[in-house]
Amino acid sequence: MENELRVIISGGGTGGHIFPAISIANAVKAKCPDAKILFVGANGRMEMTKVPEAGYNIEGLPVRGLIRPLWNPKNIGVMIDFFRSKFMVKKLIKSFRPHVAVGVGGYASAPTLNAAADLGVPCLIQEQNSYAGVTNKTLARKAKKICVAYDGMERFFPADKIIKTGNPVRQGLLANSMTRAEAREALGLNTDLPTILVIGGSLGARTINNALAAGISRFEERNIQVIWQTGKYYAEDCEKKAREAGAKLVRPQAFISDMATAYKAADIVISRAGASSISELCLLGKASILVPSPNVAEDHQTKNAKALSDRGAALFVPDSMAEKTLVEEAIALVSDAAQITKLEVEVSKLALRDSADIIADEVLKLVRK
């Protein structure tokens, strides 16, 4: 190794990719304070703002996702952008001279890790889901190490490359020492009322939002508080419906900046079943109702959710049933202390701790080799 460690980390698109990537970067910096870390993302995506906010430099690529069906003529332009991006990354790699490249999933990781492997840079990929994505399955043969969060991933990857690490989560979530009452007070909530946290992902979830909007009066009648992250695309409409219903306990907002306090305040959580969300629920030991998004590759969120519900660690509501049953399921669960405790115990058993540190150690091992 030369004077300092240099690492490229690539991926993004959603908080589920970005927050683990930042956690890995922080863990590398904790072990090697002089390390130089450069992120590579996709222009116009969340990582282009979230990564600089975390204190790291990022370069953007014109890469974007394939359009379904695959024979759509617009995919010609998508492939042109992919090869443009790969060319740009090769120039970047020759300038930055990384010792290792890390891919966390998302559009940018494909051209970045392909280019890195072509130039002889050792690569590590992190697969967050129980069903591997197309990008990571394609990159697997070029990767030296593959970090996963679930058992049975040899279905997708060479067994000798796999290490089970779990998914890194936002460090601040685990550092919050508030009591539940203190968290509710900090959020301006009643400390004694049952409380539900609703998180449909950083971009929002239409079906969950529709179900919650239709159920505002039911929550109000039952004196149940709802901390409701709508996502920016749905915020205005959801806030309007809450006002029209005269809601006092149901509080929609575009984005929750202090998730640690929101989690602490909640008795139960309603969530999509992205890998990062599930890892957070496991590590925090939260009872939850999972509503997997149907609009993801290989329906991997349903597989993530069933990995918990089959073990009695979460309740599972299909997206197609959410508008009919979600509100009543939530009211029933938040009113059942014994069921909440049972879910908390079982989900805590699935937690994999220190994931970012373990992955950072694997990054350093690749460099030493």
Side-chain angles (χ1 to χ4, degrees), residues 37-348:
I37 298 177
L38 177 64
F39 281 75
V40 179
N43 288 332
R45 305 292 287 186
M46 275 180 66
E47 59 265 29
M48 300 308 294
T49 55
K50 294 296 180 186
V51 168
E53 286 173 7
Y56 294 102
N57 294 327
I58 186 167
E59 296 285 342
L61 303 176
V63 67
R64 50 204 170 102
L66 288 167
I67 299 163
R68 309 283 177 176
L70 293 178
W71 56 84
N72 189 310
K74 292 182 180 178
N75 279 327
I76 296 171
V78 173
M79 292 309 299
I80 290 171
D81 284 341
F82 172 85
F83 288 111
R84 280 179 61 213
S85 296
K86 188 174 177 181
F87 176 76
M88 291 169 66
V89 174
K90 284 190 173 182
K91 288 181 66 177
L92 190 63
I93 288 171
K94 288 173 182 176
S95 170
F96 183 66
R97 294 177 296 120
H99 296 99
V100 63
V102 178
V104 297
Y107 299 146
S109 63
T112 302
L113 267 72
N114 268 290
D118 289 352
L119 294 172
V121 178
C123 297
L124 176 148
I125 58 176
Q126 195 238 339
E127 175 53 60
Q128 295 147 9
N129 293 292
S130 60
Y131 195 92
V134 173
T135 297
N136 278 348
K137 283 191 283 189
T138 304
L139 291 170
R141 63 187 179 85
K142 297 185 176 183
K144 299 289 186 184
K145 189 66 68 174
I146 302 166
C147 298
V148 303
Y150 293 89
D151 293 322
M153 298 303 287
E154 59 276 3
R155 292 176 294 157
F156 309 107
F157 304 126
D160 60 336
K161 295 183 179 183
I162 293 173
I163 176 169
K164 188 178 177 184
T165 61
N167 289 323
V169 301
R170 294 168 273 191
Q171 284 97 332
L173 295 181
L174 304 176
N176 188 303
S177 59
M178 286 180 173
T179 64
R180 183 163 291 171
E182 287 169 344
R184 290 178 182 175
E185 194 170 322
L187 295 174
L189 300 172
N190 186 306
T191 57
D192 298 321
L193 293 182
T195 304
I196 300 172
L197 171 62
V198 182
I199 43 174
S202 51
L203 302 178
R206 185 183 64 184
T207 310
I208 292 177
N209 286 335
N210 287 347
L212 266 288
I216 290 171
S217 61
R218 292 286 293 123
F219 292 120
E220 296 281 337
E221 289 164 6
R222 296 293 296 267
N223 276 337
I224 295 170
Q225 299 177 129
V226 182
I227 311 164
W228 178 11
Q229 179 177 282
T230 64
K232 64 180 181 180
Y233 299 125
Y234 306 99
E236 186 177 342
D237 184 54
C238 293
E239 288 166 3
K240 178 184 175 188
K241 287 176 178 172
R243 284 194 305 272
E244 289 172 348
K248 292 181 174 59
L249 301 177
V250 178
R251 303 186 178 194
Q253 54 194 288
F255 190 76
I256 299 170
S257 56
D258 187 358
M259 279 300 303
T261 301
Y263 271 126
K264 189 73 77 167
D267 294 295
I268 69 167
V269 180
I270 296 172
S271 177
R272 285 301 201 194
S276 287
S277 296
I278 284 183
S279 294
E280 291 174 359
L281 294 168
C282 292
L283 285 163
L284 296 171
K286 301 302 293 188
S288 68
I289 301 174
L290 300 175
V291 186
S293 170
N295 305 312
V296 294
E298 288 94 17
D299 196 25
H300 67 254
Q301 285 202 10
T302 295
K303 298 174 178 70
N304 291 348
K306 286 186 174 179
L308 267 66
S309 64
D310 289 350
R311 292 171 172 82
L315 301 186
F316 167 48
V317 172
D319 187 82
S320 60
M321 294 297 294
E323 293 186 34
K324 295 178 182 176
T325 67
L326 179 59
V327 168
E328 293 307 318
E329 290 257 14
I331 291 171
L333 178 59
V334 81
S335 307
D336 188 341
Q339 175 76 332
I340 290 173
T341 299
K342 180 182 175 185
L343 291 172
E344 288 173 344
V345 169
E346 294 304 318
V347 78
S348 296

Side-chain angles (χ1 to χ4, degrees), residues 14-28:
T14 66
H17 292 309
I18 298 161
F19 296 128
I22 292 170
S23 294
I24 293 168
N26 291 343
V28 170

